[in-house]
């Protein structure tokens, strides 16, 4: 979603996922699902051409696709309406999308009928160990509490094959931003901001090797209030690689 009190400066895809318990669903999971189910159609219409207007994001996605390599099997986790998924598919990746919100997935399937989209949790991925060449989390960890990030990154590491690549995008900052009643819908949510240095430390602790750390300044013309960060990491081919 967005880094301002107005979702019109949102980045393309952003549903954060977390595990559902067999008996109790964590409150932030319920809030996230409810929020994005409520706004999916408005969000998809408002940001229909978001990537077209963001050449730096397109450049990061293109570079990532080249690192993975044509035909590489990739999961776009927290894919939202599937804009980043479709873009990466156009760059030759064998990509599928995963999201918590069925309403967002309905948009993604409608707009990308040749791509497989499924509902699921980023913390409980239905992929075998070392089965993916790439994992994308494009603004999809922004509702995951900080104490859940180690488990999230461990799950990303588990499903990536040695040599596989992770792309992680998020807004930069120290304080969450609260957004209430987007487009008049009676829902609210917090958007977490992170520091690239701290996120890189967590990725390294999960076993990743950092390849790239890119930060672009906020786009004031689009109402952004924070810079945006793009981290690319790799699962090493050997423990000491």
């Amino acid at each position: 979603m967005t880094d301002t009190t107005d979702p019109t400066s949102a980045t393309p895809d952003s549903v954060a996922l977390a595990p559902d318990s067999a008996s109790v669903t964590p409150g932030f999971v319920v809030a996230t699902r409810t929020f994005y189910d409520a706004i999916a159609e408005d969000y998809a219409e408002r940001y229909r051409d978001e990537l077209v207007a963001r050449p730096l994001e397109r450049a990061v996605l293109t570079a990532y696709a080249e690192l993975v390599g044509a035909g590489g099997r990739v999961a776009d986790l927290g894919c939202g309406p599937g804009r980043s998924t479709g873009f990466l598919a156009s760059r030759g990746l064998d990509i599928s999308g995963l999201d918590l919100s069925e309403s967002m997935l309905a948009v993604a399937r409608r707009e990308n009928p040749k791509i497989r989209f499924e509902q699921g949790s980023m913390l409980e991925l239905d992929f075998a160990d070392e089965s993916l060449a790439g994992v994308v989390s494009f603004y999809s960890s922004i509702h995951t509490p900080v104490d859940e990030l180690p488990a999230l990154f461990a799950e990303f590491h588990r499903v990536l094959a040695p040599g596989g690549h992770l792309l992680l995008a998020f807004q930069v900052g120290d304080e969450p931003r609260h957004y209430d009643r987007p487009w008049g819908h009676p829902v609210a949510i917090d958007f977490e901001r992170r520091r690239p240095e701290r996120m890189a430390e967590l990725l390294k602790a999960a076993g990743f090797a950092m390849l790239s750390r890119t930060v672009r300044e906020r786009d004031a013309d689009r109402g952004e209030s924070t810079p945006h960060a793009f981290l690319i990491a790799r699962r090493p081919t050997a423990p000491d690689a």
Side-chain angles (χ1 to χ4, degrees):
M1 274 293 288
T2 177
D3 67 344
T4 71
T5 56
D6 181 350
T8 57
S9 66
T11 45
D13 306 305
S14 61
V15 178
L17 312 181
D20 286 350
S21 167
S23 57
V24 179
T25 302
F28 74 92
V29 175
V30 175
T32 300
R33 179 189 296 119
T34 301
F35 184 86
Y36 286 102
D37 276 345
I39 71 168
E41 292 293 341
D42 291 306
Y43 178 89
E45 179 61 29
R46 176 62 182 84
Y47 306 116
R48 182 170 302 281
D49 298 319
E50 191 72 5
L51 272 178
V52 175
R54 295 188 180 277
L56 295 179
E57 273 81 347
R58 295 199 312 272
V60 169
L61 289 166
T62 299
Y64 174 78
E66 292 186 11
L67 285 169
V68 173
R73 187 185 180 206
V74 175
D76 186 4
L77 306 178
C79 63
R83 304 287 159 67
S84 56
T85 326
F87 184 88
L88 289 169
S90 75
R91 296 304 186 269
L93 299 184
D94 176 13
I95 193 166
S96 62
L98 181 84
D99 204 275
L100 184 63
S101 167
E102 276 290 2
S103 295
M104 282 289 194
L105 289 169
V107 176
R109 291 169 182 141
R110 184 175 71 227
E111 297 188 359
N112 304 276
K114 295 183 179 180
I115 298 176
R116 179 169 54 88
F117 292 95
E118 295 182 352
Q119 186 181 36
S121 164
M122 292 198 300
L123 275 169
E124 294 181 344
L125 295 172
D126 190 21
F127 295 106
D129 294 358
E130 303 183 2
S131 61
L132 299 177
V135 165
V136 175
S137 176
F138 211 59
Y139 298 95
S140 62
S141 65
I142 61 174
H143 308 305
T144 303
V146 65
D147 59 355
E148 297 282 357
L149 291 178
L152 179 67
F153 296 159
E155 186 70 346
F156 292 171
H157 187 274
R158 178 186 69 80
V159 299
L160 276 173
H165 291 84
L166 166 68
L167 170 60
L168 182 70
F170 53 93
Q171 295 96 344
V172 177
D174 298 304
E175 299 295 331
R177 193 68 177 262
H178 184 72
Y179 190 73
D180 191 26
R181 298 188 64 85
W183 294 286
H185 297 288
V187 291
I189 206 165
D190 288 333
F191 303 97
E192 299 292 339
R193 279 75 181 96
R194 320 284 192 188
R195 287 290 167 185
E197 298 81 4
R198 178 55 180 155
M199 295 294 266
E201 289 174 358
L202 290 171
L203 289 174
K204 290 177 183 176
F208 286 98
M210 296 303 303
L211 294 185
S212 174
R213 187 184 309 174
T214 303
V215 177
R216 72 158 174 81
E217 294 303 318
R218 71 185 184 94
D219 187 343
D221 291 339
R222 290 183 166 273
E224 292 178 354
S225 61
T226 67
H228 289 225
F230 309 91
L231 307 185
I232 297 177
R234 178 174 176 267
R235 176 170 174 172
T237 55
D240 296 328

